Amino acid sequence: MTKQHDTICAVATAPGRGGVGIVRVSGPLSDTIARRCCEKSLSPRLATFTDFKDEAGNTIDQGIALLFKGPNSFTGEDVFEFQGHGGPVIMDMVLSQCQRHGARLARPGEFSERAFLNDKMDLTQAEAIADLIDASSKQAAIQAVHSLKGAFAAEIDVLLEALTHLRLYVESAIDFPEEEIDFLNDGVVESKLSNLITQCHRVFDQARQGAVLRDGLHVVLAGKPNAGKSTLLNTLAQREVAIVTDIPGTTRDTLTEHIHLDGMPLHITDTAGIRETDNEVERIGIARARKAIDEADRILLLLDAASLSAEQLETDWPEFINRADYRDKLTLVINKVDQNPQPPSIPGYPVVPISALHGTGLDTLKAHLLESMGVASTTESTFSARRRHLDALQRCLGHLDDGQAQLHGHAAGELLAEDLRLAQDALGEITGRVSPDELLGKIFSSFCIGK
Ligand SMILES: Nc1nc2c(ncn2[C@@H]2O[C@H](COP(=O)(O)OP(=O)(O)OP(=O)(O)O)[C@@H](O)[C@H]2O)c(=O)[nH]1
Ligand SMILES: [Mg+2]
Protein backbone atom coordinates (compact mmCIF):
# COMPACT_ATOMS: atom_id res chain seq x y z
CA MET A 1 0.00 0.00 0.00
CA THR A 2 1.44 3.35 -0.96
CA LYS A 3 0.25 6.86 -0.23
CA GLN A 4 -1.88 8.39 -2.94
CA HIS A 5 -1.74 11.98 -3.99
CA ASP A 6 -4.95 12.52 -5.92
CA THR A 7 -8.16 14.01 -4.51
CA ILE A 8 -11.16 11.84 -3.67
CA CYS A 9 -14.79 12.68 -2.98
CA ALA A 10 -17.91 10.83 -1.78
CA VAL A 11 -21.29 11.33 -0.19
CA ALA A 12 -20.59 10.50 3.46
CA THR A 13 -24.18 10.20 4.62
CA ALA A 14 -26.49 7.22 4.01
CA PRO A 15 -28.17 7.04 0.59
CA GLY A 16 -31.74 8.31 0.38
CA ARG A 17 -33.56 11.34 1.77
CA GLY A 18 -32.47 12.98 5.01
CA GLY A 19 -32.41 16.32 6.81
CA VAL A 20 -28.72 16.77 6.13
CA GLY A 21 -26.42 15.27 3.52
CA ILE A 22 -22.64 15.50 3.62
CA VAL A 23 -20.16 15.43 0.76
CA ARG A 24 -16.58 14.87 1.80
CA VAL A 25 -13.45 15.67 -0.24
CA SER A 26 -9.88 14.68 0.69
CA GLY A 27 -6.59 15.43 -1.04
CA PRO A 28 -4.51 18.33 -2.34
CA LEU A 29 -7.35 19.86 -4.40
CA SER A 30 -9.72 20.17 -1.40
CA ASP A 31 -8.92 23.80 -0.74
CA THR A 32 -9.27 24.77 -4.43
CA ILE A 33 -12.57 22.91 -4.77
CA ALA A 34 -13.88 24.64 -1.63
CA ARG A 35 -12.88 28.08 -2.96
CA ARG A 36 -14.41 27.50 -6.40
CA CYS A 37 -17.69 26.01 -5.19
CA CYS A 38 -18.21 28.38 -2.27
CA GLU A 39 -16.70 31.39 -4.08
CA LYS A 40 -14.81 32.38 -0.95
CA SER A 41 -11.76 31.37 1.06
CA LEU A 42 -12.67 29.22 4.02
CA SER A 43 -10.90 29.64 7.35
CA PRO A 44 -9.73 26.18 8.49
CA ARG A 45 -11.88 24.51 11.15
CA LEU A 46 -14.51 27.26 11.06
CA ALA A 47 -18.10 26.46 10.10
CA THR A 48 -19.11 28.82 7.27
CA PHE A 49 -22.66 29.20 6.00
CA THR A 50 -22.39 29.41 2.22
CA ASP A 51 -23.95 28.86 -1.19
CA PHE A 52 -22.58 25.88 -3.11
CA LYS A 53 -22.32 26.82 -6.78
CA ASP A 54 -21.78 25.18 -10.13
CA GLU A 55 -19.20 26.47 -12.60
CA ALA A 56 -21.75 28.86 -14.20
CA GLY A 57 -22.31 30.47 -10.80
CA ASN A 58 -25.75 28.94 -10.21
CA THR A 59 -26.51 27.95 -6.65
CA ILE A 60 -26.95 24.18 -6.29
CA ASP A 61 -27.51 24.19 -2.54
CA GLN A 62 -26.91 26.17 0.64
CA GLY A 63 -25.28 24.78 3.76
CA ILE A 64 -22.26 24.62 6.05
CA ALA A 65 -18.76 24.35 4.62
CA LEU A 66 -15.79 23.13 6.64
CA LEU A 67 -12.14 23.04 5.69
CA PHE A 68 -9.53 21.03 7.61
CA LYS A 69 -5.91 21.56 6.61
CA GLY A 70 -3.72 18.44 6.77
CA PRO A 71 -2.34 16.93 8.89
CA ASN A 72 -5.06 18.09 11.27
CA SER A 73 -7.89 16.21 9.61
CA PHE A 74 -9.44 12.76 9.62
CA THR A 75 -7.34 11.55 6.67
CA GLY A 76 -4.29 13.65 7.47
CA GLU A 77 -4.76 15.41 4.11
CA ASP A 78 -6.62 18.65 3.32
CA VAL A 79 -10.31 17.82 3.78
CA PHE A 80 -13.33 19.83 2.63
CA GLU A 81 -16.82 18.95 3.85
CA PHE A 82 -20.07 20.40 2.62
CA GLN A 83 -23.16 19.78 4.75
CA GLY A 84 -26.17 20.45 2.56
CA HIS A 85 -29.74 19.26 2.26
CA GLY A 86 -29.99 15.48 2.26
CA GLY A 87 -31.74 14.78 -1.02
CA PRO A 88 -30.13 12.23 -3.36
CA VAL A 89 -30.36 14.54 -6.40
CA ILE A 90 -28.80 17.51 -4.58
CA MET A 91 -26.01 15.34 -3.15
CA ASP A 92 -25.34 13.95 -6.60
CA MET A 93 -25.11 17.45 -8.09
CA VAL A 94 -22.73 18.60 -5.34
CA LEU A 95 -20.61 15.49 -5.87
CA SER A 96 -20.48 15.96 -9.66
CA GLN A 97 -19.29 19.51 -9.12
CA CYS A 98 -16.40 18.26 -6.97
CA GLN A 99 -15.52 15.79 -9.74
CA ARG A 100 -15.60 18.57 -12.35
CA HIS A 101 -12.99 20.43 -10.31
CA GLY A 102 -10.65 17.43 -10.34
CA ALA A 103 -11.69 15.04 -7.57
CA ARG A 104 -12.44 11.40 -8.35
CA LEU A 105 -15.02 9.18 -6.66
CA ALA A 106 -13.58 7.44 -3.60
CA ARG A 107 -13.51 3.66 -3.30
CA PRO A 108 -15.29 2.16 -0.26
CA GLY A 109 -13.19 2.74 2.84
CA GLU A 110 -10.70 4.96 1.02
CA PHE A 111 -10.94 7.84 3.51
CA SER A 112 -10.09 5.46 6.36
CA GLU A 113 -7.37 3.85 4.25
CA ARG A 114 -5.76 7.27 3.77
CA ALA A 115 -6.07 7.96 7.49
CA PHE A 116 -4.16 4.71 8.11
CA LEU A 117 -1.51 5.44 5.47
CA ASN A 118 -1.01 8.90 6.96
CA ASP A 119 -0.58 7.44 10.47
CA LYS A 120 -3.76 9.01 11.80
CA MET A 121 -4.84 5.59 13.06
CA ASP A 122 -3.72 1.97 13.00
CA LEU A 123 -5.52 -0.92 11.32
CA THR A 124 -7.54 -1.94 14.40
CA GLN A 125 -8.91 1.60 14.65
CA ALA A 126 -9.71 1.76 10.95
CA GLU A 127 -11.54 -1.58 11.25
CA ALA A 128 -13.33 -0.33 14.37
CA ILE A 129 -14.92 2.46 12.33
CA ALA A 130 -16.56 -0.14 10.07
CA ASP A 131 -17.49 -2.25 13.10
CA LEU A 132 -19.09 0.71 14.83
CA ILE A 133 -21.19 1.51 11.78
CA ASP A 134 -22.18 -2.17 11.36
CA ALA A 135 -22.73 -2.85 15.08
CA SER A 136 -25.88 -4.93 15.55
CA SER A 137 -26.09 -4.48 19.32
CA LYS A 138 -25.27 -1.91 21.97
CA GLN A 139 -22.48 -4.13 23.30
CA ALA A 140 -20.89 -4.47 19.86
CA ALA A 141 -21.01 -0.68 19.49
CA ILE A 142 -19.40 -0.12 22.92
CA GLN A 143 -16.61 -2.52 21.98
CA ALA A 144 -16.06 -0.88 18.61
CA VAL A 145 -15.68 2.52 20.29
CA HIS A 146 -13.07 1.05 22.64
CA SER A 147 -11.12 -0.27 19.65
CA LEU A 148 -11.53 3.07 17.90
CA LYS A 149 -10.05 4.78 20.94
CA GLY A 150 -7.06 2.44 20.63
CA ALA A 151 -7.76 -0.10 23.41
CA PHE A 152 -6.95 -3.11 21.23
CA ALA A 153 -3.94 -1.44 19.63
CA ALA A 154 -2.62 -0.56 23.09
CA GLU A 155 -2.74 -4.25 24.12
CA ILE A 156 -0.92 -5.25 20.93
CA ASP A 157 1.67 -2.51 21.45
CA VAL A 158 2.42 -3.82 24.95
CA LEU A 159 2.96 -7.30 23.49
CA LEU A 160 5.12 -5.92 20.68
CA GLU A 161 7.21 -3.95 23.13
CA ALA A 162 7.82 -7.06 25.25
CA LEU A 163 8.63 -9.09 22.12
CA THR A 164 11.04 -6.45 20.88
CA HIS A 165 12.92 -6.45 24.19
CA LEU A 166 13.13 -10.22 24.16
CA ARG A 167 14.44 -10.25 20.58
CA LEU A 168 16.96 -7.64 21.54
CA TYR A 169 18.18 -9.83 24.37
CA VAL A 170 18.33 -13.04 22.30
CA GLU A 171 19.94 -11.41 19.28
CA SER A 172 22.64 -9.84 21.37
CA ALA A 173 23.38 -13.25 22.88
CA ILE A 174 23.94 -14.52 19.35
CA ASP A 175 25.92 -11.48 18.23
CA PHE A 176 28.29 -11.31 21.18
CA PRO A 177 29.21 -14.86 22.15
CA GLU A 178 32.63 -13.67 23.32
CA GLU A 179 30.96 -11.79 26.18
CA GLU A 180 30.75 -15.25 27.71
CA ILE A 181 27.45 -14.56 29.33
CA ASP A 182 25.20 -17.42 28.77
CA PHE A 183 22.23 -15.26 27.99
CA LEU A 184 20.05 -18.11 26.94
CA ASN A 185 20.48 -20.16 30.08
CA ASP A 186 20.39 -17.46 32.74
CA GLY A 187 16.63 -17.84 33.15
CA VAL A 188 15.80 -14.32 31.94
CA VAL A 189 14.82 -15.40 28.43
CA GLU A 190 12.84 -18.30 29.82
CA SER A 191 10.83 -16.13 32.20
CA LYS A 192 10.32 -13.27 29.70
CA LEU A 193 9.13 -15.74 27.10
CA SER A 194 6.67 -17.49 29.38
CA ASN A 195 5.33 -14.10 30.59
CA LEU A 196 4.86 -13.10 26.99
CA ILE A 197 2.97 -16.31 26.20
CA THR A 198 0.67 -15.74 29.19
CA GLN A 199 -0.02 -12.14 28.13
CA CYS A 200 -0.63 -13.20 24.56
CA HIS A 201 -3.18 -15.82 25.72
CA ARG A 202 -4.97 -13.14 27.75
CA VAL A 203 -5.20 -10.79 24.76
CA PHE A 204 -6.35 -13.71 22.59
CA ASP A 205 -9.19 -14.50 25.04
CA GLN A 206 -10.28 -10.86 25.07
CA ALA A 207 -10.10 -10.63 21.28
CA ARG A 208 -12.06 -13.86 20.94
CA GLN A 209 -14.79 -12.42 23.10
CA GLY A 210 -14.76 -9.27 20.97
CA ALA A 211 -14.98 -11.27 17.75
CA VAL A 212 -17.90 -13.32 19.07
CA LEU A 213 -19.85 -10.19 20.01
CA ARG A 214 -19.16 -8.70 16.61
CA ASP A 215 -19.75 -11.74 14.40
CA GLY A 216 -22.20 -13.69 16.53
CA LEU A 217 -21.90 -16.87 18.54
CA HIS A 218 -21.80 -20.18 16.65
CA VAL A 219 -23.95 -22.56 18.68
CA VAL A 220 -24.25 -26.23 17.75
CA LEU A 221 -27.07 -28.49 18.92
CA ALA A 222 -25.61 -31.96 19.46
CA GLY A 223 -26.89 -35.19 20.97
CA LYS A 224 -28.32 -38.60 20.25
CA PRO A 225 -31.12 -39.14 17.74
CA ASN A 226 -34.51 -38.04 19.13
CA ALA A 227 -32.99 -35.86 21.88
CA GLY A 228 -35.03 -32.92 20.55
CA LYS A 229 -32.36 -30.91 18.71
CA SER A 230 -34.52 -29.99 15.73
CA THR A 231 -37.43 -29.14 18.04
CA LEU A 232 -35.15 -26.75 19.94
CA LEU A 233 -33.93 -25.16 16.70
CA ASN A 234 -37.54 -24.56 15.60
CA THR A 235 -38.47 -23.12 18.99
CA LEU A 236 -35.51 -20.73 19.03
CA ALA A 237 -36.05 -19.69 15.41
CA GLN A 238 -39.80 -19.37 16.02
CA ARG A 239 -40.58 -21.17 12.79
CA GLU A 240 -40.55 -24.68 11.35
CA VAL A 241 -37.04 -24.73 9.94
CA ALA A 242 -36.15 -28.38 10.56
CA ILE A 243 -38.18 -31.56 10.17
CA VAL A 244 -39.24 -33.08 13.50
CA THR A 245 -40.48 -36.68 13.82
CA ASP A 246 -40.28 -39.35 16.48
CA ILE A 247 -38.15 -41.46 14.12
CA PRO A 248 -34.54 -41.50 15.37
CA GLY A 249 -32.16 -40.27 12.69
CA THR A 250 -34.56 -37.76 11.10
CA THR A 251 -31.98 -35.01 10.63
CA ARG A 252 -29.26 -36.02 8.19
CA ASP A 253 -27.52 -32.78 7.26
CA THR A 254 -26.43 -29.75 9.26
CA LEU A 255 -28.84 -26.84 9.11
CA THR A 256 -27.97 -23.34 10.33
CA GLU A 257 -30.41 -20.61 11.31
CA HIS A 258 -29.42 -17.03 12.14
CA ILE A 259 -31.30 -15.38 14.98
CA HIS A 260 -30.89 -12.46 17.38
CA LEU A 261 -31.12 -12.66 21.15
CA ASP A 262 -31.60 -9.19 22.65
CA GLY A 263 -29.96 -7.85 19.50
CA MET A 264 -26.98 -10.22 19.75
CA PRO A 265 -26.32 -12.27 16.60
CA LEU A 266 -26.45 -16.04 17.02
CA HIS A 267 -25.89 -18.80 14.45
CA ILE A 268 -27.57 -22.02 15.54
CA THR A 269 -26.73 -25.29 13.80
CA ASP A 270 -28.91 -28.38 14.07
CA THR A 271 -27.03 -31.62 13.47
CA ALA A 272 -27.64 -35.30 12.84
CA GLY A 273 -28.01 -37.35 16.04
CA ILE A 274 -24.77 -39.15 16.87
CA ARG A 275 -24.90 -42.96 16.96
CA GLU A 276 -23.28 -46.05 15.42
CA THR A 277 -24.81 -46.69 12.02
CA ASP A 278 -24.29 -48.68 8.83
CA ASN A 279 -26.29 -46.22 6.78
CA GLU A 280 -23.89 -44.35 4.48
CA VAL A 281 -25.98 -41.15 4.30
CA GLU A 282 -26.38 -41.00 8.05
CA ARG A 283 -22.66 -41.65 8.54
CA ILE A 284 -21.81 -38.66 6.35
CA GLY A 285 -24.33 -36.57 8.31
CA ILE A 286 -22.72 -37.59 11.61
CA ALA A 287 -19.25 -36.70 10.26
CA ARG A 288 -20.61 -33.26 9.38
CA ALA A 289 -22.14 -32.97 12.84
CA ARG A 290 -18.76 -33.70 14.44
CA LYS A 291 -17.07 -31.10 12.24
CA ALA A 292 -19.66 -28.47 13.22
CA ILE A 293 -19.20 -29.39 16.89
CA ASP A 294 -15.44 -28.96 16.61
CA GLU A 295 -15.81 -25.53 15.07
CA ALA A 296 -18.52 -24.28 17.46
CA ASP A 297 -18.12 -21.47 19.97
CA ARG A 298 -20.63 -23.27 22.19
CA ILE A 299 -21.95 -26.82 22.17
CA LEU A 300 -25.41 -27.49 23.56
CA LEU A 301 -25.40 -31.24 24.26
CA LEU A 302 -29.04 -32.27 24.40
CA LEU A 303 -29.80 -35.12 26.79
CA ASP A 304 -33.12 -36.83 27.31
CA ALA A 305 -34.35 -36.21 30.87
CA ALA A 306 -36.11 -39.57 30.91
CA SER A 307 -33.01 -41.68 30.37
CA LEU A 308 -30.29 -39.64 32.01
CA SER A 309 -27.87 -40.35 34.83
CA ALA A 310 -24.53 -38.78 35.70
CA GLU A 311 -22.70 -42.13 35.25
CA GLN A 312 -24.38 -42.74 31.93
CA LEU A 313 -23.17 -39.37 30.71
CA GLU A 314 -19.57 -40.54 31.13
CA THR A 315 -20.24 -43.78 29.24
CA ASP A 316 -22.37 -42.27 26.50
CA TRP A 317 -20.35 -39.16 25.80
CA PRO A 318 -16.72 -39.83 26.72
CA GLU A 319 -15.57 -37.84 23.70
CA PHE A 320 -17.42 -34.76 24.98
CA ILE A 321 -16.92 -35.06 28.70
CA ASN A 322 -13.19 -35.79 28.61
CA ARG A 323 -12.05 -33.44 25.87
CA ALA A 324 -10.07 -30.52 27.25
CA ASP A 325 -10.88 -28.27 24.28
CA TYR A 326 -14.64 -28.78 24.83
CA ARG A 327 -14.49 -28.13 28.55
CA ASP A 328 -15.11 -24.39 28.32
CA LYS A 329 -17.69 -24.52 25.58
CA LEU A 330 -19.96 -27.36 26.63
CA THR A 331 -23.43 -26.86 28.11
CA LEU A 332 -25.62 -29.82 29.08
CA VAL A 333 -29.20 -29.14 28.05
CA ILE A 334 -31.55 -31.63 29.64
CA ASN A 335 -34.59 -31.79 27.40
CA LYS A 336 -38.10 -33.19 27.87
CA VAL A 337 -38.36 -32.17 31.53
CA ASP A 338 -42.12 -32.29 30.99
CA GLN A 339 -41.68 -36.09 31.01
CA ASN A 340 -39.26 -36.14 33.94
CA PRO A 341 -39.33 -32.94 35.99
CA GLN A 342 -36.57 -34.14 38.35
CA PRO A 343 -33.52 -34.88 36.14
CA PRO A 344 -30.30 -35.73 38.00
CA SER A 345 -27.89 -32.90 38.72
CA ILE A 346 -24.54 -33.20 36.97
CA PRO A 347 -21.56 -31.48 38.55
CA GLY A 348 -18.79 -29.83 36.56
CA TYR A 349 -20.80 -28.36 33.68
CA PRO A 350 -23.45 -25.72 33.20
CA VAL A 351 -26.76 -27.58 33.13
CA VAL A 352 -29.98 -26.08 31.74
CA PRO A 353 -33.20 -28.14 32.02
CA ILE A 354 -35.75 -27.36 29.29
CA SER A 355 -38.68 -28.65 27.36
CA ALA A 356 -38.04 -27.72 23.75
CA LEU A 357 -41.55 -28.80 22.87
CA HIS A 358 -43.36 -26.76 25.53
CA GLY A 359 -40.91 -23.85 25.80
CA THR A 360 -40.08 -24.45 29.49
CA GLY A 361 -36.66 -23.15 30.58
CA LEU A 362 -36.00 -21.33 27.32
CA ASP A 363 -35.53 -17.97 29.03
CA THR A 364 -32.85 -19.51 31.23
CA LEU A 365 -31.20 -21.05 28.16
CA LYS A 366 -31.23 -17.70 26.34
CA ALA A 367 -29.79 -15.90 29.37
CA HIS A 368 -27.09 -18.58 29.57
CA LEU A 369 -26.18 -18.09 25.90
CA LEU A 370 -26.00 -14.33 26.32
CA GLU A 371 -23.82 -14.75 29.36
CA SER A 372 -21.52 -17.11 27.49
CA MET A 373 -21.10 -14.38 24.85
CA GLY A 374 -19.87 -12.11 27.61
CA VAL A 375 -22.82 -9.74 27.30
CA ALA A 376 -23.21 -9.42 31.04
CA SER A 377 -19.54 -8.69 31.54
CA THR A 378 -18.96 -6.15 28.77
CA THR A 379 -16.66 -3.68 30.49
CA GLU A 380 -14.17 -0.97 29.68
CA SER A 381 -11.54 -3.63 29.00
CA THR A 382 -13.31 -5.28 26.05
CA PHE A 383 -12.77 -4.27 22.45
CA SER A 384 -14.05 -5.36 19.07
CA ALA A 385 -11.92 -7.79 17.13
CA ARG A 386 -12.12 -9.83 13.96
CA ARG A 387 -11.28 -13.37 12.93
CA ARG A 388 -8.23 -11.93 11.14
CA HIS A 389 -6.93 -10.69 14.50
CA LEU A 390 -7.55 -14.07 16.14
CA ASP A 391 -5.74 -15.79 13.32
CA ALA A 392 -2.73 -13.46 13.71
CA LEU A 393 -2.69 -13.90 17.50
CA GLN A 394 -2.90 -17.66 17.11
CA ARG A 395 0.03 -17.67 14.69
CA CYS A 396 1.98 -15.47 17.08
CA LEU A 397 1.29 -17.93 19.92
CA GLY A 398 2.32 -20.85 17.68
CA HIS A 399 5.69 -19.19 16.99
CA LEU A 400 6.20 -18.36 20.67
CA ASP A 401 5.48 -22.00 21.59
CA ASP A 402 7.95 -23.15 18.92
CA GLY A 403 10.48 -20.71 20.35
CA GLN A 404 9.96 -22.10 23.83
CA ALA A 405 10.49 -25.62 22.50
CA GLN A 406 13.77 -24.49 20.89
CA LEU A 407 14.90 -22.98 24.15
CA HIS A 408 14.04 -26.04 26.20
CA GLY A 409 15.21 -28.60 23.68
CA HIS A 410 18.43 -27.29 22.24
CA ALA A 411 18.96 -23.78 23.61
CA ALA A 412 19.18 -22.82 19.93
CA GLY A 413 19.51 -19.04 19.92
CA GLU A 414 19.24 -18.54 16.14
CA LEU A 415 16.09 -20.62 15.87
CA LEU A 416 14.52 -18.93 18.87
CA ALA A 417 15.35 -15.52 17.35
CA GLU A 418 13.70 -16.57 14.10
CA ASP A 419 10.56 -17.74 15.93
CA LEU A 420 10.42 -14.43 17.79
CA ARG A 421 10.75 -12.55 14.51
CA LEU A 422 7.87 -14.54 13.00
CA ALA A 423 5.78 -13.94 16.15
CA GLN A 424 6.45 -10.22 15.86
CA ASP A 425 5.50 -10.18 12.18
CA ALA A 426 2.20 -11.91 12.99
CA LEU A 427 1.41 -9.38 15.72
CA GLY A 428 2.45 -6.51 13.48
CA GLU A 429 -0.20 -7.54 10.95
CA ILE A 430 -2.88 -6.64 13.50
CA THR A 431 -2.03 -2.96 13.77
CA GLY A 432 -0.01 -2.72 10.54
CA ARG A 433 2.69 -0.87 12.44
CA VAL A 434 5.77 -3.07 12.70
CA SER A 435 8.79 -2.36 10.58
CA PRO A 436 12.16 -4.11 10.85
CA ASP A 437 13.83 -0.68 11.06
CA GLU A 438 12.08 -0.14 14.34
CA LEU A 439 13.78 -3.18 15.81
CA LEU A 440 17.16 -2.22 14.42
CA GLY A 441 16.77 1.27 15.84
CA LYS A 442 16.05 -0.16 19.27
CA ILE A 443 19.01 -2.54 19.15
CA PHE A 444 21.51 0.17 18.23
CA SER A 445 20.18 2.86 20.52
CA SER A 446 20.00 0.82 23.70
CA PHE A 447 23.21 -1.20 23.39
CA CYS A 448 26.62 0.31 23.64
CA ILE A 449 28.33 -1.84 21.08
CA GLY A 450 31.70 -0.11 20.94
CA LYS A 451 33.39 -2.38 18.47
N1 LIG B 1 -42.34 -34.64 25.48
C1 LIG B 1 -41.45 -34.00 24.80
N2 LIG B 1 -41.14 -34.41 23.56
C2 LIG B 1 -40.21 -33.75 22.86
C3 LIG B 1 -39.55 -32.60 23.39
N3 LIG B 1 -38.68 -32.14 22.48
C4 LIG B 1 -38.77 -32.97 21.41
N4 LIG B 1 -39.69 -33.92 21.64
C5 LIG B 1 -40.11 -34.99 20.73
O1 LIG B 1 -39.01 -35.86 20.51
C6 LIG B 1 -39.06 -36.39 19.18
C7 LIG B 1 -37.75 -36.15 18.48
O2 LIG B 1 -37.57 -34.74 18.29
P1 LIG B 1 -36.56 -34.12 17.26
O3 LIG B 1 -36.52 -32.66 17.50
O4 LIG B 1 -36.86 -34.58 15.87
O5 LIG B 1 -35.21 -34.81 17.76
P2 LIG B 1 -33.77 -34.71 17.10
O6 LIG B 1 -32.79 -34.64 18.22
O7 LIG B 1 -33.70 -33.63 16.11
O8 LIG B 1 -33.63 -36.14 16.42
P3 LIG B 1 -32.74 -36.57 15.15
O9 LIG B 1 -32.95 -35.59 14.06
O10 LIG B 1 -33.24 -37.90 14.83
O11 LIG B 1 -31.32 -36.61 15.60
C8 LIG B 1 -40.22 -35.71 18.50
O12 LIG B 1 -41.32 -36.56 18.57
C9 LIG B 1 -40.47 -34.48 19.35
O13 LIG B 1 -41.83 -34.03 19.35
C10 LIG B 1 -39.92 -32.16 24.72
O14 LIG B 1 -39.41 -31.18 25.26
N5 LIG B 1 -40.85 -32.92 25.35
MG1 LIG C 1 -33.33 -33.61 14.14
Side-chain angles (χ1 to χ4, degrees), residues 221-235 242-253 270-275 282 302 304 334-340 354-360:
L221 308 178
K224 289 194 177 299
N226 260 3
K229 302 178 292 298
S230 303
T231 310
L232 180 58
L233 177 72
N234 291 349
T235 307
I243 301 169
V244 169
T245 74
D246 58 3
I247 305 162
T250 300
T251 305
R252 291 296 169 92
D253 213 343
D270 182 22
T271 59
I274 295 175
R275 64 173 171 182
E282 195 175 355
L302 265 79
D304 191 328
I334 303 179
N335 190 29
K336 309 192 188 183
V337 286
D338 51 302
Q339 290 182 335
N340 179 9
I354 63 160
S355 167
L357 190 63
H358 300 286
T360 323

Side-chain angles (χ1 to χ4, degrees), residues 59-302:
T59 299
I60 298 173
D61 194 9
Q62 281 192 320
I64 302 290
L66 287 161
L67 181 70
F68 300 90
K69 295 293 282 181
N72 300 316
S73 69
F74 172 70
T75 59
E77 305 172 331
D78 286 355
V79 169
F80 164 52
E81 259 184 38
F82 178 72
Q83 308 181 354
H85 295 94
V89 175
I90 300 169
M91 285 291 107
D92 206 43
M93 287 162 71
V94 170
L95 195 63
S96 301
Q97 205 53 36
C98 297
Q99 287 177 270
R100 260 183 221 117
H101 290 304
R104 69 163 169 84
L105 290 179
R107 285 180 277 109
E110 204 173 357
F111 288 90
S112 302
E113 183 185 308
R114 287 186 176 204
F116 165 66
L117 291 174
N118 290 320
D119 288 331
K120 299 298 290 187
M121 58 175 71
D122 65 53
L123 282 183
T124 62
Q125 291 171 305
E127 286 164 321
I129 293 175
D131 291 347
L132 185 56
I133 292 168
D134 291 339
S136 65
S137 68
K138 192 174 150 195
Q139 279 78 9
I142 291 170
Q143 293 203 134
V145 167
H146 288 163
S147 280
L148 185 58
K149 285 168 71 183
F152 189 15
E155 295 279 3
I156 299 299
D157 284 348
V158 169
L159 289 177
L160 277 173
E161 180 80 17
L163 239 174
T164 307
H165 274 109
L166 188 55
R167 272 189 77 187
L168 179 70
Y169 202 83
V170 172
E171 298 205 2
S172 42
I174 300 165
D175 286 348
F176 304 107
E178 70 272 20
E179 299 278 315
E180 291 184 8
I181 300 169
D182 197 357
F183 281 100
L184 295 180
N185 290 325
D186 66 3
V188 175
V189 173
E190 163 87 56
S191 100
K192 283 188 180 204
L193 184 56
S194 67
N195 275 344
L196 192 59
I197 292 175
T198 310
Q199 281 185 54
C200 202
H201 273 292
R202 186 183 51 75
V203 175
F204 179 83
D205 288 344
Q206 268 179 290
R208 192 178 161 278
Q209 187 82 337
V212 161
L213 276 168
R214 173 183 176 271
D215 300 334
L217 190 77
H218 290 267
V219 178
V220 167
L221 308 178
K224 289 194 177 299
N226 260 3
K229 302 178 292 298
S230 303
T231 310
L232 180 58
L233 177 72
N234 291 349
T235 307
L236 288 171
Q238 296 181 319
R239 64 193 188 97
E240 296 295 306
V241 197
I243 301 169
V244 169
T245 74
D246 58 3
I247 305 162
T250 300
T251 305
R252 291 296 169 92
D253 213 343
T254 53
L255 174 62
T256 302
E257 186 71 6
H258 309 281
I259 66 163
H260 277 85
L261 279 188
D262 288 355
M264 308 300 304
L266 221 68
H267 317 285
I268 303 182
T269 301
D270 182 22
T271 59
I274 295 175
R275 64 173 171 182
E276 290 299 322
T277 174
D278 292 332
N279 184 304
E280 183 59 14
V281 180
E282 195 175 355
R283 255 216 313 261
I284 296 170
I286 291 170
R288 287 186 181 192
R290 289 194 184 280
K291 184 165 179 289
I293 291 163
D294 272 342
E295 292 168 355
D297 295 316
R298 181 138 295 266
I299 307 164
L300 299 185
L301 180 60
L302 265 79

